[in-house]
Coordinates of all heavy atoms in Angstrom, one line a residue:
M1 N 0.9 -1.2 0.0 CA 0.0 0.0 0.0 C 0.9 1.2 0.0 O 1.8 1.4 0.8 CB -0.9 0.0 1.2 CG -1.8 1.2 1.3 SD -2.7 1.4 2.9 CE -3.4 -0.3 3.2
S2 N 0.6 2.1 -0.9 CA 1.4 3.4 -0.9 C 0.7 4.5 -0.1 O -0.5 4.5 0.0 CB 1.6 3.8 -2.4 OG 0.4 4.1 -3.0
D3 N 1.5 5.4 0.4 CA 1.0 6.5 1.1 C 0.9 7.7 0.2 O 1.6 7.8 -0.9 CB 2.0 6.9 2.3 CG 1.8 5.9 3.4 OD1 0.8 5.2 3.5 OD2 2.8 5.7 4.2
A4 N 0.1 8.6 0.6 CA 0.0 9.9 -0.2 C -0.1 11.0 0.8 O -0.6 10.9 1.9 CB -1.3 9.9 -1.0
N5 N 0.5 12.1 0.4 CA 0.4 13.3 1.2 C -0.6 14.2 0.6 O -0.7 14.5 -0.6 CB 1.8 14.1 1.2 CG 2.8 13.3 1.9 OD1 2.6 12.7 3.0 ND2 4.1 13.3 1.4
V6 N -1.5 14.7 1.5 CA -2.6 15.6 1.0 C -2.5 16.9 1.9 O -2.5 16.8 3.1 CB -3.9 14.9 1.2 CG1 -5.1 15.9 0.8 CG2 -4.0 13.6 0.5
R7 N -2.4 18.0 1.2 CA -2.3 19.3 2.0 C -3.7 19.8 2.1 O -4.4 20.1 1.1 CB -1.4 20.2 1.2 CG 0.0 19.7 1.1 CD 0.9 20.7 0.4 NE 1.1 21.9 1.1 CZ 1.9 22.1 2.1 NH1 2.7 21.2 2.5 NH2 2.0 23.3 2.7
I8 N -4.2 20.0 3.4 CA -5.4 20.6 3.7 C -5.2 21.5 4.9 O -4.2 21.4 5.6 CB -6.5 19.5 4.0 CG1 -6.1 18.7 5.3 CG2 -6.8 18.6 2.8 CD1 -7.2 17.8 5.8
P9 N -6.1 22.5 5.1 CA -6.0 23.3 6.2 C -5.9 22.6 7.5 O -6.6 21.5 7.7 CB -7.2 24.2 6.2 CG -7.7 24.2 4.7 CD -7.3 22.8 4.3
A10 N -5.2 23.1 8.5 CA -5.0 22.4 9.8 C -6.4 22.2 10.5 O -6.6 21.1 11.1 CB -4.1 23.2 10.7
E11 N -7.3 23.1 10.3 CA -8.6 23.0 11.0 C -9.3 21.8 10.4 O -10.0 21.1 11.1 CB -9.4 24.3 10.8 CG -8.8 25.5 11.4 CD -7.7 26.2 10.5 OE1 -7.7 25.9 9.3 OE2 -6.9 26.9 11.1
A12 N -9.2 21.6 9.1 CA -9.9 20.5 8.5 C -9.3 19.1 8.9 O -10.0 18.2 9.2 CB -9.8 20.6 6.9
K13 N -8.0 19.1 9.0 CA -7.3 17.9 9.5 C -7.7 17.6 10.9 O -8.0 16.4 11.2 CB -5.8 18.1 9.4 CG -5.0 16.8 9.9 CD -3.6 17.3 10.3 CE -3.0 16.2 11.2 NZ -3.2 16.4 12.6
D14 N -7.7 18.6 11.8 CA -8.0 18.4 13.2 C -9.5 17.9 13.3 O -9.8 17.0 14.1 CB -7.9 19.7 13.9 CG -6.4 20.1 14.1 OD1 -5.5 19.3 13.8 OD2 -6.2 21.3 14.4
R15 N -10.4 18.5 12.5 CA -11.8 18.0 12.5 C -11.9 16.6 12.1 O -12.6 15.8 12.7 CB -12.6 18.9 11.6 CG -14.1 18.6 11.6 CD -14.9 19.6 10.8 NE -16.2 19.2 10.6 CZ -17.2 19.3 11.5 NH1 -16.9 19.8 12.7 NH2 -18.4 18.9 11.2
L16 N -11.2 16.2 11.0 CA -11.3 14.8 10.5 C -10.7 13.9 11.6 O -11.2 12.8 11.8 CB -10.6 14.7 9.2 CG -11.3 15.3 8.0 CD1 -10.4 15.3 6.8 CD2 -12.6 14.5 7.7
A17 N -9.6 14.3 12.2 CA -8.9 13.5 13.2 C -9.8 13.3 14.4 O -9.9 12.1 15.0 CB -7.6 14.1 13.6
A18 N -10.6 14.3 14.8 CA -11.5 14.2 15.9 C -12.6 13.2 15.6 O -13.1 12.4 16.4 CB -12.0 15.6 16.3
I19 N -13.2 13.3 14.4 CA -14.2 12.4 13.9 C -13.7 11.0 13.9 O -14.4 10.1 14.4 CB -14.8 12.9 12.5 CG1 -15.5 14.2 12.6 CG2 -15.7 11.8 11.9 CD1 -15.7 14.9 11.3
A20 N -12.5 10.8 13.4 CA -12.0 9.5 13.3 C -11.8 8.9 14.7 O -12.1 7.7 15.0 CB -10.6 9.5 12.6
A21 N -11.2 9.7 15.6 CA -11.0 9.2 17.0 C -12.3 8.9 17.7 O -12.4 7.9 18.4 CB -10.3 10.3 17.8
A22 N -13.3 9.6 17.4 CA -14.7 9.4 18.0 C -15.2 8.0 17.6 O -16.0 7.4 18.3 CB -15.6 10.5 17.7
E23 N -14.8 7.6 16.4 CA -15.2 6.3 15.9 C -14.1 5.2 16.1 O -14.2 4.1 15.6 CB -15.4 6.4 14.4 CG -16.6 7.3 14.1 CD -17.1 7.3 12.6 OE1 -16.8 6.3 11.9 OE2 -17.7 8.3 12.2
G24 N -13.1 5.5 16.9 CA -12.1 4.6 17.3 C -11.1 4.2 16.2 O -10.6 3.1 16.1
L25 N -11.0 5.2 15.2 CA -10.1 4.9 14.1 C -9.0 6.0 14.0 O -9.1 7.1 14.5 CB -10.9 5.1 12.8 CG -12.0 4.1 12.6 CD1 -12.9 4.5 11.4 CD2 -11.5 2.7 12.4
S26 N -7.9 5.6 13.4 CA -6.9 6.6 13.1 C -7.4 7.4 11.9 O -8.3 7.0 11.2 CB -5.6 5.9 12.7 OG -5.7 5.2 11.5
L27 N -6.7 8.5 11.7 CA -7.1 9.4 10.6 C -6.9 8.6 9.3 O -7.8 8.7 8.4 CB -6.3 10.7 10.6 CG -6.6 11.7 9.5 CD1 -8.1 12.0 9.4 CD2 -5.8 12.9 9.7
R28 N -5.8 7.9 9.2 CA -5.6 7.1 8.0 C -6.6 6.1 7.7 O -7.2 6.0 6.6 CB -4.2 6.4 8.1 CG -3.8 5.6 7.0 CD -2.5 4.9 7.3 NE -2.1 4.1 6.2 CZ -0.9 3.7 5.9 NH1 0.1 4.2 6.6 NH2 -0.7 3.0 4.8
A29 N -7.0 5.3 8.8 CA -8.1 4.3 8.6 C -9.4 5.0 8.3 O -10.2 4.4 7.4 CB -8.2 3.5 9.9
Y30 N -9.7 6.1 8.9 CA -11.0 6.8 8.6 C -11.0 7.2 7.2 O -12.0 7.0 6.5 CB -11.1 8.0 9.6 CG -12.4 8.7 9.3 CD1 -13.6 8.3 9.8 CD2 -12.4 9.9 8.6 CE1 -14.8 9.0 9.6 CE2 -13.6 10.7 8.4 CZ -14.8 10.2 8.9 OH -15.9 10.8 8.7
L31 N -10.0 7.8 6.7 CA -10.0 8.3 5.3 C -10.0 7.1 4.3 O -10.7 7.2 3.3 CB -8.7 9.2 5.0 CG -8.7 10.5 5.8 CD1 -7.4 11.2 5.5 CD2 -9.9 11.4 5.3
A32 N -9.4 6.0 4.6 CA -9.5 4.9 3.8 C -10.9 4.3 3.7 O -11.4 4.0 2.6 CB -8.5 3.8 4.2
R33 N -11.5 4.3 4.9 CA -12.9 3.8 4.9 C -13.8 4.8 4.2 O -14.7 4.4 3.4 CB -13.4 3.7 6.4 CG -14.8 3.0 6.4 CD -15.3 2.9 7.8 NE -15.6 4.2 8.3 CZ -16.1 4.5 9.5 NH1 -16.2 3.5 10.4 NH2 -16.5 5.7 9.9
L34 N -13.6 6.1 4.3 CA -14.4 7.1 3.7 C -14.3 6.9 2.1 O -15.3 7.0 1.4 CB -14.0 8.5 4.1 CG -14.8 9.6 3.6 CD1 -16.2 9.6 4.1 CD2 -14.1 10.9 4.0
A35 N -13.1 6.7 1.7 CA -12.8 6.6 0.2 C -13.5 5.3 -0.3 O -14.0 5.3 -1.5 CB -11.3 6.5 0.0
E36 N -13.6 4.3 0.5 CA -14.3 3.0 0.0 C -15.8 3.2 0.0 O -16.5 2.5 -0.7 CB -14.0 1.9 1.0 CG -12.5 1.5 0.9 CD -12.1 0.5 2.0 OE1 -13.0 0.1 2.8 OE2 -10.9 0.1 2.0
T37 N -16.4 4.1 0.8 CA -17.8 4.2 0.9 C -18.4 5.3 0.0 O -19.6 5.2 -0.3 CB -18.3 4.4 2.4 OG1 -17.7 5.7 2.8 CG2 -17.8 3.3 3.3
L38 N -17.7 6.3 -0.4 CA -18.2 7.3 -1.2 C -18.2 6.9 -2.7 O -17.4 6.1 -3.1 CB -17.4 8.6 -1.1 CG -17.4 9.3 0.3 CD1 -16.4 10.4 0.3 CD2 -18.8 9.7 0.6
L39 N -19.2 7.4 -3.4 CA -19.3 7.1 -4.8 C -18.7 8.2 -5.7 O -18.8 9.3 -5.4 CB -20.8 7.0 -5.2 CG -21.6 5.9 -4.5 CD1 -23.1 6.0 -4.9 CD2 -21.1 4.5 -4.8
T40 N -18.1 7.8 -6.8 CA -17.6 8.7 -7.7 C -18.8 9.3 -8.5 O -19.9 8.7 -8.5 CB -16.6 8.0 -8.7 OG1 -17.3 7.1 -9.5 CG2 -15.4 7.3 -8.0
P41 N -18.6 10.4 -9.2 CA -19.7 10.9 -10.0 C -20.2 9.9 -11.1 O -21.4 9.8 -11.3 CB -19.0 12.2 -10.7 CG -18.0 12.6 -9.7 CD -17.4 11.3 -9.1
A42 N -19.2 9.1 -11.6 CA -19.7 8.1 -12.6 C -20.5 7.0 -12.0 O -21.5 6.6 -12.5 CB -18.4 7.5 -13.3
E43 N -20.1 6.6 -10.7 CA -20.9 5.6 -10.0 C -22.3 6.1 -9.6 O -23.3 5.4 -9.8 CB -20.1 5.1 -8.8 CG -18.9 4.3 -9.1 CD -18.0 4.2 -7.9 OE1 -18.0 5.0 -6.9 OE2 -17.2 3.2 -7.9
R44 N -22.3 7.4 -9.2 CA -23.7 8.0 -8.9 C -24.5 8.0 -10.1 O -25.7 7.7 -10.1 CB -23.5 9.4 -8.3 CG -23.1 9.3 -6.9 CD -23.2 10.7 -6.2 NE -22.6 11.8 -6.8 CZ -21.3 12.2 -6.7 NH1 -20.6 11.5 -5.9 NH2 -20.9 13.2 -7.3
A45 N -24.0 8.4 -11.3 CA -24.7 8.5 -12.5 C -25.2 7.1 -12.9 O -26.4 7.0 -13.4 CB -23.9 9.1 -13.6
E46 N -24.4 6.1 -12.8 CA -24.8 4.7 -13.1 C -25.9 4.3 -12.3 O -26.9 3.7 -12.7 CB -23.6 3.8 -13.0 CG -23.8 2.4 -13.4 CD -22.6 1.5 -13.2 OE1 -21.5 2.0 -13.2 OE2 -22.8 0.3 -13.1
R47 N -25.8 4.5 -11.0 CA -26.9 4.1 -10.1 C -28.2 4.9 -10.4 O -29.3 4.3 -10.3 CB -26.5 4.4 -8.6 CG -25.5 3.3 -8.1 CD -25.4 3.4 -6.6 NE -24.4 2.4 -6.2 CZ -24.1 2.2 -4.9 NH1 -24.8 2.8 -4.0 NH2 -23.2 1.3 -4.6
A48 N -28.1 6.1 -10.7 CA -29.3 6.9 -11.0 C -29.9 6.3 -12.3 O -31.2 6.2 -12.4 CB -28.9 8.4 -11.2
E49 N -29.1 6.0 -13.3 CA -29.7 5.4 -14.5 C -30.3 4.1 -14.2 O -31.4 3.8 -14.8 CB -28.6 5.3 -15.6 CG -29.1 4.9 -16.9 CD -30.3 5.7 -17.4 OE1 -30.2 6.9 -17.3 OE2 -31.2 5.1 -18.0
T50 N -29.7 3.3 -13.4 CA -30.3 2.0 -13.0 C -31.7 2.2 -12.3 O -32.6 1.5 -12.6 CB -29.3 1.2 -12.1 OG1 -28.1 1.0 -12.8 CG2 -29.9 -0.1 -11.7
A51 N -31.7 3.2 -11.4 CA -33.0 3.5 -10.7 C -34.0 3.9 -11.7 O -35.2 3.5 -11.6 CB -32.7 4.5 -9.7
R52 N -33.7 4.8 -12.7 CA -34.6 5.3 -13.7 C -35.2 4.1 -14.5 O -36.4 4.1 -14.7 CB -33.9 6.3 -14.6 CG -33.8 7.7 -14.1 CD -33.3 8.6 -15.2 NE -32.6 9.7 -14.6 CZ -31.3 9.8 -14.4 NH1 -30.5 8.8 -14.8 NH2 -30.7 10.8 -13.8
A53 N -34.3 3.2 -14.9 CA -34.7 2.1 -15.7 C -35.7 1.2 -14.9 O -36.7 0.7 -15.4 CB -33.5 1.3 -16.2
A54 N -35.3 1.0 -13.6 CA -36.2 0.1 -12.8 C -37.6 0.7 -12.6 O -38.6 0.0 -12.7 CB -35.5 -0.1 -11.4
L55 N -37.6 2.1 -12.4 CA -38.9 2.7 -12.2 C -39.7 2.7 -13.5 O -40.9 2.4 -13.4 CB -38.7 4.2 -11.8 CG -38.4 4.4 -10.3 CD1 -37.9 5.9 -10.1 CD2 -39.5 4.1 -9.4
K56 N -39.1 2.9 -14.6 CA -39.8 2.8 -15.9 C -40.4 1.4 -16.1 O -41.5 1.2 -16.5 CB -38.9 3.2 -17.0 CG -39.6 3.3 -18.3 CD -38.7 3.9 -19.4 CE -39.5 4.0 -20.7 NZ -38.7 4.5 -21.8
E57 N -39.6 0.4 -15.8 CA -40.0 -1.0 -16.0 C -41.1 -1.4 -15.1 O -42.1 -2.0 -15.4 CB -38.8 -1.9 -15.9 CG -39.2 -3.4 -16.1 CD -38.0 -4.3 -16.0 OE1 -36.9 -3.9 -16.3 OE2 -38.2 -5.5 -15.5
W58 N -41.0 -0.9 -13.8 CA -41.9 -1.3 -12.8 C -43.3 -0.6 -12.9 O -44.3 -1.3 -12.8 CB -41.3 -0.9 -11.4 CG -42.2 -1.2 -10.3 CD1 -42.8 -2.4 -9.9 CD2 -42.6 -0.3 -9.3 NE1 -43.5 -2.3 -8.7 CE2 -43.4 -0.9 -8.3 CE3 -42.3 1.1 -9.1 CZ2 -44.0 -0.3 -7.2 CZ3 -42.9 1.7 -8.0 CH2 -43.7 1.0 -7.1
N59 N -43.3 0.7 -13.2 CA -44.6 1.4 -13.2 C -44.7 2.4 -14.4 O -45.6 3.2 -14.4 CB -44.9 2.1 -11.9 CG -43.9 3.2 -11.6 OD1 -43.1 3.5 -12.4 ND2 -44.1 3.7 -10.4
G60 N -43.8 2.4 -15.3 CA -43.9 3.3 -16.4 C -43.4 4.7 -16.2 O -43.5 5.6 -17.0
Y61 N -42.9 5.0 -14.9 CA -42.5 6.3 -14.5 C -41.2 6.7 -15.3 O -40.2 6.1 -15.1 CB -42.3 6.3 -13.0 CG -42.0 7.7 -12.5 CD1 -43.0 8.6 -12.3 CD2 -40.7 8.0 -12.1 CE1 -42.7 9.9 -11.7 CE2 -40.4 9.3 -11.6 CZ -41.4 10.2 -11.4 OH -41.1 11.4 -10.9
A62 N -41.3 7.7 -16.1 CA -40.2 8.2 -16.8 C -40.3 9.7 -17.0 O -41.2 10.2 -17.7 CB -40.1 7.5 -18.2
L63 N -39.4 10.4 -16.4 CA -39.4 11.9 -16.5 C -38.8 12.3 -17.9 O -37.9 11.7 -18.4 CB -38.6 12.5 -15.4 CG -39.1 12.3 -14.0 CD1 -38.1 12.9 -13.0 CD2 -40.5 13.0 -13.8
T64 N -39.3 13.5 -18.4 CA -38.6 14.1 -19.5 C -37.4 14.9 -18.9 O -37.3 15.1 -17.7 CB -39.5 15.1 -20.2 OG1 -39.8 16.2 -19.3 CG2 -40.8 14.4 -20.7
A65 N -36.5 15.3 -19.7 CA -35.3 16.1 -19.3 C -35.8 17.4 -18.6 O -35.2 17.8 -17.6 CB -34.4 16.4 -20.4
T66 N -36.8 18.0 -19.1 CA -37.4 19.2 -18.5 C -37.9 19.0 -17.2 O -37.7 19.7 -16.2 CB -38.4 19.8 -19.5 OG1 -37.8 20.1 -20.7 CG2 -39.0 21.1 -18.9
Q67 N -38.7 17.9 -17.0 CA -39.3 17.6 -15.7 C -38.2 17.3 -14.7 O -38.3 17.7 -13.5 CB -40.2 16.3 -15.8 CG -41.5 16.6 -16.6 CD -42.3 15.4 -16.9 OE1 -41.7 14.3 -17.2 NE2 -43.6 15.4 -16.7
E68 N -37.2 16.5 -15.1 CA -36.1 16.2 -14.2 C -35.4 17.5 -13.8 O -35.1 17.7 -12.6 CB -35.1 15.3 -14.9 CG -34.0 14.7 -14.0 CD -33.2 13.7 -14.7 OE1 -33.6 13.1 -15.6 OE2 -32.1 13.5 -14.1
Q69 N -35.1 18.4 -14.7 CA -34.5 19.7 -14.3 C -35.4 20.5 -13.4 O -34.9 21.1 -12.4 CB -34.2 20.5 -15.6 CG -33.5 21.8 -15.3 CD -32.2 21.7 -14.6 OE1 -31.4 20.9 -15.0 NE2 -32.0 22.4 -13.5
D70 N -36.7 20.5 -13.6 CA -37.6 21.2 -12.7 C -37.5 20.7 -11.3 O -37.5 21.4 -10.3 CB -39.0 21.2 -13.3 CG -39.2 22.0 -14.5 OD1 -38.3 22.9 -14.8 OD2 -40.3 21.9 -15.2
L71 N -37.5 19.3 -11.2 CA -37.5 18.7 -9.9 C -36.1 19.0 -9.2 O -36.1 19.2 -8.0 CB -37.7 17.2 -10.0 CG -39.2 16.8 -10.3 CD1 -39.3 15.3 -10.6 CD2 -40.1 17.2 -9.2
D72 N -35.0 18.9 -10.0 CA -33.7 19.2 -9.4 C -33.7 20.7 -8.9 O -33.1 20.9 -7.8 CB -32.6 19.0 -10.5 CG -32.3 17.6 -10.7 OD1 -32.7 16.7 -10.0 OD2 -31.6 17.3 -11.8
S73 N -34.3 21.6 -9.7 CA -34.3 23.0 -9.2 C -35.1 23.1 -8.0 O -34.7 23.9 -7.1 CB -34.9 23.9 -10.3 OG -34.0 23.9 -11.5
E74 N -36.2 22.5 -7.9 CA -37.1 22.5 -6.7 C -36.3 21.9 -5.5 O -36.4 22.5 -4.4 CB -38.4 21.8 -6.9 CG -39.3 21.7 -5.7 CD -39.8 23.1 -5.3 OE1 -39.7 24.1 -6.0 OE2 -40.3 23.2 -4.1
L75 N -35.6 20.8 -5.7 CA -34.9 20.3 -4.6 C -33.8 21.2 -4.1 O -33.6 21.4 -2.9 CB -34.3 18.9 -5.0 CG -33.4 18.2 -4.0 CD1 -34.2 17.9 -2.7 CD2 -32.8 16.9 -4.5
D76 N -33.1 21.8 -5.1 CA -32.0 22.8 -4.7 C -32.6 24.0 -4.0 O -32.0 24.4 -3.0 CB -31.3 23.3 -6.0 CG -30.5 22.3 -6.7 OD1 -30.1 21.3 -6.0 OD2 -30.1 22.5 -7.9
R77 N -33.8 24.4 -4.4 CA -34.5 25.6 -3.7 C -34.8 25.2 -2.3 O -34.5 25.9 -1.3 CB -35.7 26.0 -4.4 CG -36.4 27.2 -3.9 CD -37.8 27.4 -4.5 NE -38.8 26.4 -4.1 CZ -39.4 26.3 -2.9 NH1 -39.1 27.2 -1.9 NH2 -40.3 25.4 -2.6
R78 N -35.3 24.0 -2.1 CA -35.7 23.5 -0.7 C -34.5 23.3 0.2 O -34.5 23.7 1.3 CB -36.6 22.3 -0.8 CG -37.9 22.5 -1.4 CD -38.8 21.3 -1.4 NE -40.0 21.5 -2.0 CZ -41.1 20.7 -1.9 NH1 -41.0 19.6 -1.1 NH2 -42.2 21.0 -2.5
L79 N -33.4 22.8 -0.4 CA -32.2 22.6 0.4 C -31.6 23.9 0.8 O -31.1 24.1 1.9 CB -31.2 21.7 -0.4 CG -31.5 20.3 -0.5 CD1 -30.6 19.6 -1.5 CD2 -31.5 19.6 0.8
A80 N -31.6 24.9 -0.1 CA -31.1 26.2 0.2 C -31.9 26.9 1.3 O -31.4 27.5 2.2 CB -31.1 27.1 -1.1
Q81 N -33.2 26.7 1.2 CA -34.1 27.2 2.3 C -33.8 26.6 3.6 O -33.7 27.4 4.6 CB -35.6 26.9 1.9 CG -36.6 27.6 2.7 CD -38.0 27.3 2.3 OE1 -38.2 26.3 1.6 NE2 -38.9 28.1 2.6
V82 N -33.6 25.4 3.7 CA -33.3 24.7 5.0 C -31.9 25.0 5.5 O -31.8 25.2 6.7 CB -33.5 23.1 4.8 CG1 -33.0 22.4 6.0 CG2 -34.9 22.8 4.5
T83 N -31.0 25.0 4.6 CA -29.6 25.3 5.1 C -29.2 26.7 5.2 O -28.1 27.1 5.7 CB -28.6 24.6 4.1 OG1 -28.7 25.1 2.8 CG2 -28.8 23.1 4.1
G84 N -30.1 27.6 4.6 CA -29.8 29.0 4.7 C -28.8 29.5 3.7 O -28.1 30.5 3.8
R85 N -28.6 28.7 2.6 CA -27.6 29.1 1.6 C -28.2 29.6 0.4 O -29.1 29.4 -0.2 CB -26.8 27.8 1.2 CG -25.9 27.3 2.3 CD -25.1 26.2 1.9 NE -24.4 25.6 3.0 CZ -23.7 24.5 3.0 NH1 -23.6 23.9 1.9 NH2 -23.1 24.1 4.0

């Protein structure tokens, strides 16, 4: 296994180290586990397409590109409202 150096602000490193320690992990182990559990953009897109296909097959539900964009915009609006962003 090779090591990598990553430069991040000290505050971010300290926060990640505290989170890792709270879970009984070293920072290295925590970051390795995090990397294994997060999806890449390509993996997320693949899962979304699989879900779309399953919904269409199951009940005929298929959004147009415009409907999908409208729903994405509405979700963004609601998230911004809740998070204050």
Side-chain angles (χ1 to χ4, degrees):
M1 178 186 317
S2 64
D3 286 334
N5 291 320
V6 178
R7 297 182 64 87
I8 61 173
E11 298 82 18
K13 179 205 162 268
D14 294 343
R15 180 175 172 79
L16 289 169
I19 294 167
E23 295 188 24
L25 298 170
S26 68
L27 179 54
R28 178 183 179 152
Y30 179 77
L31 292 174
R33 186 181 74 180
L34 185 63
E36 291 171 2
T37 60
L38 294 176
L39 299 175
T40 66
E43 290 167 334
R44 283 195 306 274
E46 182 180 339
R47 285 193 182 187
E49 186 52 42
T50 300
R52 279 188 209 93
L55 282 170
K56 186 174 182 181
E57 181 180 327
W58 177 57
N59 65 6
Y61 184 78
L63 295 174
T64 65
T66 301
Q67 290 170 320
E68 189 173 338
Q69 180 60 47
D70 289 346
L71 289 171
D72 285 346
S73 296
E74 178 63 13
L75 179 58
D76 289 342
R77 184 190 68 75
R78 290 183 185 197
L79 287 171
Q81 185 178 25
V82 170
T83 61
R85 294 183 186 174

